[in-house]
Amino acid sequence: MGGKILVIDDGREVRDFLVKYVLAPRGFEVLVAEDGEQGLAMALAASPDLIIADHNMPGRSGIEVVAGLRAAGRDIPTILMTAQGSEALAKEAVEAGVSAYIVKPFETDEMLAAIGRALRDAQRRREVTRLAAELQTANSELTSRLRELEALTSVGHAITAHLDLDTVLGKVIESAVSLTGAEEGSLLLLDEKTGELTMRAAKNFDDEFVRTFRLRSQDSLAGQVIRSGQPFLLDESAPQKIKTTYLVHSLIYVPLRAHARVIGVLGVDNRRTRRAFSIHEQRLMVALADYAAVAVENARLYSNTEAERSKLDTILRQTEDGVIVVDQEKRLMLINPTARAAFGINGADVTGRPVSEIIQHPEVRDLLARSGDDLKTRRREVPLEDGRVFNAHLTEIGGVGQAVVMQDITHLKELDRIKSEFVTAVSHDLRSPLTAILGYVELLNRAGPLNDQQAEFVRRVRFSVQAITALISDLLDLGRIEAGFDTQKEPLQVPLLVRYAVDGLVSRAEQKRIKIKLDMPQSAEPVLGNPVRLRQMAANLIDNAIKYTPDGGTVSVAVRDESDQIIFTVTDTGVGIAPADQPYIFDKFYRARNVKDSDVPGTGLGLSLVKSIVENHSGRVWVDSKLGYGTTFVVVLPKHQEAQAEN
Ligand code: ADP
């Protein structure tokens, strides 16, 4: 068996018997006391594994020895021996904490069995006590982990819940100090321009100290952490020199990382107490530093975005152009003050509403109603009630929606009007002298015979005067149409007037061996129009087709009756128009660059006339052309019924 046993008995015989015959032969180490008092003192001093005590002793009884041990906080299993066993004594013994109870005289085996039981019981009790202690340690360990986790979660939550950096960093420092049990904590950020560290948040530091704190990062411990990117733990074992320089007993510094860059340091320290920090606490600090870095980075990104947004906002507010942005569902996302003023929009709460509810102007609504890449439909002139005119341009913004930018072109329109008036006046005044020149040129050969050279000069003069007269009459027509003088309109058959126009040009086509193909119904539903102008429009387009098609080509003229529109097209197999020229060919005096003036003479006014006439009839005209292959002009005119229904 083995173990240390203390025998307490005032009777020598019993003591000897126990020592010599029962305990020593079984290898127990035996201590002997002769009375209760001595026994208690020996038990307290030697801490035996087991005590075998007589109950009935002078001075201190066996039960009183056990009670004395209890009182001293010692739990040593004890077997009580008694001469006369009684139930009351047995009860008293158990209550006092005696492990076993044995009545004298006893057999050796009986005593040995009791010893074995008592030792086993004691062993079990020790085991249970150890387990309970371990459980308690584990429990308190768990509680403190839980507290750490809660603190970390709450810091994490603060990052998502607060945009205010001070609040978040304050929470980080608070948690750092409380989780590590430190006396004070600080968060230093690196100013990359000056290389200095400033204190962005602190716990238990003087406010004034925090505000004025500046540290050169090169020669500090924090700077070392920034450079190495590694945490730093300073404890009692660290060189005294560092501790005295920093006036601390222990310290943890961990780096704040954002995108592989170290932007600052989170630190805690103890100045007064000697309490050391653990690696576990350092790990907690690393987790907190990660949170702090995310918060600092978030705040930086947020303030960058905010700065950009406010810059853009200022630009949009102060620009003189009107800007309207709608999303893909045509809901208003943005409208700047210029655009608001233009359409008289006062309400503050217009964003998010369908743009059609907010802006009633037909041109803008029409512009926003279209999508696709048709260049011509992306621009509109927007006349306002106050007399101003805006040029509105629609742009598709991928993933966002559409933007309309409007420029005030009132002054340009006014200039255009003055120019047109001037041109009309000059043209008008030129007409009479030109007629006179032509008259006298015609009369020249009646005044006497001309030699060949004179006759050739006269022919050239006549040709030039005729060209100028044609130009002037085009200019006057344009002026008249633009001024809206051609208001007389009647129901007209488009196929009929196209046929007249073709008839007038057949001989020119024949000169160039150009085939004219006609494809149109005998009659179609009428349009409301001015017969002279519409015929002029058709003639100009067919004339151009013949002019810009090389000898032997084909010009196809077609009229189609389609639901509420009449569609007139002229297609040729000519030189075509380059994409770069296409947006401008309807402008006055514009001539495309692919044809030389000397090859095909012209004024650049024909298509402006066509456009003015078509628009004057509420129609649309556009061109479709491929350089070197041919051109198609399309004119769409609304039918008469339609025109009436609208009025
Ligand atoms: P022009 O008097 O020069 O013909 P227009 O206004 O009728 O003036 O036409 C403007 C320009 O458009 C022309 O100079 C020419 O470059 C181009 N153009 C017009 N019609 C055609 C066509 N059918 N084929 C090729 N180019 C054309």
Side-chain angles (χ1 to χ4, degrees):
M1 271 189 215
K4 202 197 285 179
I5 297 183
L6 168 65
V7 176
I8 313 171
D9 202 318
D10 56 336
R12 187 188 181 93
E13 279 160 50
V14 179
R15 286 203 306 263
D16 287 351
F17 170 74
L18 273 174
V19 175
K20 278 195 195 134
Y21 300 103
V22 183
L23 301 175
R26 265 78 187 185
F28 289 109
E29 185 191 334
V30 188
L31 304 170
V32 178
E34 292 174 9
D35 60 35
E37 213 52 64
Q38 189 190 11
L40 178 60
M42 282 181 85
L44 289 175
S47 290
D49 297 311
L50 178 73
I51 299 171
I52 303 172
D54 185 24
H55 174 52
N56 219 348
M57 290 184 289
R60 195 179 271 271
S61 75
I63 288 184
E64 280 162 354
V65 170
V66 174
L69 286 171
R70 277 278 169 104
R74 304 290 279 275
D75 181 20
I76 303 172
T78 307
I79 298 173
L80 193 70
M81 299 175 292
T82 169
Q84 25 352 68
S86 79
E87 208 166 297
L89 184 65
K91 197 169 164 242
E92 194 189 339
V94 168
E95 276 169 5
V98 168
S99 331
Y101 176 82
I102 201 161
V103 182
K104 290 191 215 167
F106 47 80
E107 296 291 321
T108 308
D109 285 349
E110 206 181 334
M111 180 50 101
L112 281 175
I115 290 173
R117 258 198 318 276
L119 283 176
R120 275 197 302 280
D121 277 356
Q123 174 71 25
R124 255 201 303 280
R125 261 210 313 284
R126 276 201 300 279
E127 194 74 356
V128 167
T129 317
R130 192 181 57 77
L131 278 178
E134 263 177 26
L135 204 66
Q136 199 165 14
T137 320
N139 237 336
S140 73
E141 186 86 337
L142 261 178
T143 315
S144 90
R145 290 289 171 282
L146 204 65
R147 199 169 69 88
E148 289 164 8
L149 259 180
E150 270 168 8
L152 287 179
T153 318
S154 113
V155 173
H157 183 245
I159 289 183
T160 45
H162 301 278
L163 271 178
D164 175 36
L165 190 57
D166 288 329
T167 314
V168 179
L169 296 185
K171 205 152 174 102
V172 168
I173 284 290
E174 192 77 38
S175 305
V177 168
S178 81
L179 289 181
T180 57
E183 288 166 19
E184 54 189 24
S186 61
L187 193 142
L188 310 180
L189 287 186
L190 178 68
D191 181 337
E192 281 182 356
K193 282 197 210 89
T194 61
E196 282 181 334
L197 289 162
T198 55
M199 205 176 273
R200 190 64 176 74
K203 168 89 182 169
N204 298 341
F205 275 100
D206 179 53
D207 279 354
E208 182 62 17
F209 177 79
V210 172
R211 228 171 27 76
T212 53
F213 180 90
R214 282 263 174 305
L215 187 67
R216 277 163 54 83
S217 90
Q218 286 91 323
D219 36 44
S220 66
L221 217 54
Q224 183 187 317
V225 170
I226 287 186
R227 281 191 300 282
S228 70
Q230 295 302 319
F232 183 87
L233 194 149
L234 183 144
D235 54 22
E236 284 305 306
S237 65
Q240 193 56 39
K241 188 163 166 269
I242 303 185
K243 287 191 286 188
T244 26
T245 317
Y246 282 87
L247 299 169
V248 293
H249 289 296
S250 49
L251 163 152
I252 303 178
Y253 268 164
V254 291
L256 255 62
R257 283 171 201 284
H259 305 301
R261 261 179 331 116
V262 179
I263 56 169
V265 172
L266 175 67
V268 287
D269 60 58
N270 289 319
R271 286 177 198 275
R272 290 182 298 279
T273 57
R274 289 184 175 275
R275 192 182 159 276
F277 293 117
S278 66
I279 287 290
H280 173 71
E281 284 161 344
Q282 177 183 315
R283 261 188 238 123
L284 283 174
M285 291 282 286
V286 169
L288 284 170
D290 284 347
Y291 276 130
V294 169
V296 172
E297 193 58 9
N298 276 357
R300 193 182 62 81
L301 290 177
Y302 180 76
S303 87
N304 281 0
T305 321
E306 197 47 27
E308 282 302 312
R309 204 192 63 78
S310 95
K311 216 191 299 174
L312 206 66
D313 198 58
T314 316
I315 294 172
L316 283 175
R317 273 184 176 282
Q318 295 184 353
T319 178
E320 284 177 12
D321 292 350
V323 181
I324 300 165
V325 183
V326 298
D327 64 14
Q328 274 146 352
E329 272 76 50
K330 311 269 185 205
R331 288 175 189 280
L332 202 59
M333 288 174 73
L334 184 154
I335 178 162
N336 76 343
T338 308
R340 276 174 179 269
F343 301 117
I345 300 165
N346 302 316
D349 238 6
V350 290
T351 44
R353 304 223 332 246
V355 68
S356 53
E357 278 177 20
I358 311 294
I359 299 176
Q360 262 83 37
H361 198 292
E363 294 295 342
V364 179
R365 292 178 76 154
D366 192 41
L367 188 60
L368 281 168
R370 29 197 96 236
S371 48
D373 331 279
D374 185 0
L375 266 174
K376 276 172 225 61
T377 59
R378 292 169 161 246
R379 207 190 69 78
R380 279 277 186 291
E381 273 185 16
V382 180
L384 299 181
E385 279 171 6
D386 61 8
R388 285 185 299 157
V389 183
F390 276 85
N391 178 28
H393 193 275
L394 179 83
T395 313
E396 302 276 343
I397 312 175
V400 175
Q402 294 169 317
V404 175
V405 177
M406 309 193 307
Q407 280 161 331
D408 190 339
I409 53 161
T410 317
H411 62 294
L412 291 178
K413 293 296 281 183
E414 183 58 14
L415 211 64
D416 199 38
R417 193 186 60 75
I418 296 169
K419 204 177 67 192
S420 298
E421 271 178 18
F422 172 74
V423 169
T424 309
V426 171
S427 316
H428 195 266
D429 291 351
L430 276 177
R431 210 151 57 169
S432 319
L434 277 175
T435 317
I437 292 172
L438 206 57
Y440 283 109
V441 167
E442 297 294 349
L443 287 177
L444 264 182
N445 58 354
R446 297 203 198 156
L450 300 177
N451 66 26
D452 284 354
Q453 202 177 19
Q454 286 169 330
E456 172 58 17
F457 289 169
V458 167
R459 203 185 58 74
R460 287 197 191 175
V461 170
R462 196 192 298 125
F463 180 79
S464 296
V465 173
Q466 276 166 349
I468 298 176
T469 314
L471 168 68
I472 283 176
S473 96
D474 274 358
L475 279 174
L476 284 174
D477 284 348
L478 207 55
R480 206 173 288 138
I481 296 163
E482 280 178 352
F485 291 150
D486 284 329
T487 44
Q488 275 190 344
K489 286 182 182 153
E490 57 194 78
L492 293 172
Q493 281 286 331
V494 176
L496 199 65
L497 49 92
V498 167
R499 219 175 290 275
Y500 282 138
V502 171
D503 287 349
L505 292 163
V506 168
S507 66
R508 297 195 48 178
E510 278 168 356
Q511 278 168 20
K512 291 181 78 178
R513 289 182 292 105
I514 285 176
K515 204 168 142 206
I516 299 192
K517 281 196 199 160
L518 286 182
D519 173 14
M520 51 192 172
Q522 276 301 317
S523 68
E525 282 184 63
V527 298
L528 192 68
N530 181 305
V532 180
R533 291 301 172 216
L534 283 184
R535 185 176 157 182
Q536 189 179 13
M537 177 274 289
N540 274 0
L541 289 179
I542 300 165
D543 186 29
N544 273 353
I546 296 170
K547 248 166 59 178
Y548 296 105
T549 299
D551 291 8
T554 307
V555 171
S556 314
V557 179
V559 175
R560 274 182 291 132
D561 183 332
E562 235 173 56
S563 65
D564 51 359
Q565 302 172 324
I566 298 291
I567 299 168
F568 165 53
T569 55
V570 180
T571 304
D572 61 49
T573 56
V575 296
I577 305 165
D581 285 321
Q582 289 180 20
Y584 308 106
I585 53 167
F586 293 98
D587 293 350
K588 283 175 205 152
F589 302 109
Y590 189 86
R591 308 203 67 206
R593 282 157 284 188
N594 59 327
V595 181
K596 280 204 217 100
D597 280 3
S598 51
D599 293 350
V600 186
T603 58
L605 280 176
L607 287 180
S608 335
L609 258 171
V610 167
K611 187 163 187 256
S612 293
I613 294 171
V614 171
E615 285 178 353
N616 196 251
H617 286 80
S618 312
R620 287 196 292 134
V621 55
W622 67 89
V623 69
D624 193 2
S625 181
K626 199 164 173 215
L627 200 60
Y629 286 91
T631 305
T632 297
F633 279 91
V634 184
V635 174
V636 178
L637 295 170
K639 282 183 187 169
H640 181 28
Q641 284 93 332
E642 188 68 22
Q644 271 179 342
E646 265 181 15
N647 291 335

